[in-house]
Amino acid sequence: MVDITHKIKTLRIAVAEAFVKVGDPATISAIKNNVVPKGNVLEMAKTAGLFAVKNTHHTIPDCHPLPVEFTLVNYEIEEGFVRIIFTVKTVYKTGVEVEAMHGASVVALTMYDMLKPIDKNIEIEKIRLVEKKGGKSDFNKHSSRLSASVIVCSDSISEGKKEDRAGKAIIKKLKESKVTVNTYQIIPDELEIIRSKALEYSETDNLVIFTGGTGLSFRDVTPEALEPILERRIPGIEEAIRNYGQERMPYAMLSRSIAGTIGNCLIMGLPGSTKGASESMDAVFPHLLHVFKILRGAKHDNND
């Protein structure tokens, strides 16, 4: 199966539909009046769909087992056909599109099975996804172009003793989120240099991301450099990063990642290890980019 261990949980919603077309108008009347010999078609088909959606991963090899936290089956009965509308919700790392379509298809097949004794011309049509919400694309809708500076804080890398990988991992994630990286620099773990870079690039970029210097050694000074110049801390970003990391590595609680704003620029101090930097980006991107709508004066609403 596809690796989803790097993803975060969000509310996922999928709506699918299927059409059961009848050959005899009397079939629709039999459904409505509940006189089909095999029983109540709508209720039996609904029950079958509920079982199906919870067992999708047993049928479709690449589907992940996931918690199905809400399922709704609705019908629209028209002259000549029944439209099945199947809704599935979960709070999880991956979507429920296949679960919704699987549920709709089993509802349709159950109706076919129950109706074929009285109508030899039953057809199933248009099993398809109608709508999905909650995936990555829903949180990557920043309209204007954003730019960033990435600063690697490391004595050993600045001295040429080690190669930078954390900064490059951050740049890769920014590019995936369609953020332009204007500056990439490597500097030593010096408080005044870190502070001056934050002030300099906050004038020209939307994002300034530092990697390194967030640990507990005596040379780890990135939080001390940034905290006094941040106008507003954003604890939620810091908490999200540490919580994400803690679920994967128990040492994450020792990181002192920091986030806040200078004017309309977001400043972040992330761990210096490649995995720590990469996981920190996974924890908050691309949904973090919503901050720039707020900084431009947009209001929170149900569509944001």
Side-chain angles (χ1 to χ4, degrees), residues 40-60:
N40 189 312
V41 173
L42 301 181
E43 289 302 313
M44 288 286 285
K46 175 182 176 181
T47 302
L50 297 180
F51 279 118
V53 73
K54 288 184 280 189
N55 288 282
T56 301
H57 64 283
H58 290 304
T59 306
I60 311 298

Side-chain angles (χ1 to χ4, degrees), residues 248-277:
R248 291 156 178 80
M249 163 55 72
Y251 297 156
M253 64 183 175
L254 303 177
S255 174
R256 299 184 298 139
S257 298
I258 187 169
T261 58
I262 299 175
N264 286 339
C265 178
L266 176 63
I267 311 291
M268 298 173 64
L270 304 182
S273 70
T274 305
K275 191 171 184 180

Side-chain angles (χ1 to χ4, degrees), residues 98-112:
V98 176
E99 284 76 9
M101 287 189 285
H102 183 220
S105 65
V106 170
V107 171
L109 283 168
T110 303
M111 293 182 70
Y112 177 94

Side-chain angles (χ1 to χ4, degrees), residues 45-93:
K46 175 182 176 181
T47 302
L50 297 180
F51 279 118
V53 73
K54 288 184 280 189
N55 288 282
T56 301
H57 64 283
H58 290 304
T59 306
I60 311 298
D62 201 41
C63 281
H64 294 80
L66 52 77
V68 177
E69 297 175 313
F70 176 80
T71 303
L72 177 67
V73 182
N74 283 324
Y75 299 105
E76 292 179 357
I77 303 176
E78 303 290 344
E79 183 178 351
F81 68 88
V82 177
R83 180 187 178 216
I84 302 154
I85 309 103
F86 204 104
T87 303
V88 181
K89 295 183 183 181
T90 188
V91 177
Y92 201 59
K93 301 175 182 181

Side-chain angles (χ1 to χ4, degrees), residues 221-271:
V221 295
T222 300
E224 286 76 13
L226 297 178
E227 187 171 10
I229 61 173
L230 293 178
E231 296 168 2
R232 289 185 293 177
R233 290 281 291 275
I234 310 178
I237 294 176
E238 301 166 9
E239 292 161 7
I241 289 170
R242 276 188 282 275
N243 180 66
Y244 184 96
Q246 191 68 22
E247 289 182 340
R248 291 156 178 80
M249 163 55 72
Y251 297 156
M253 64 183 175
L254 303 177
S255 174
R256 299 184 298 139
S257 298
I258 187 169
T261 58
I262 299 175
N264 286 339
C265 178
L266 176 63
I267 311 291
M268 298 173 64
L270 304 182

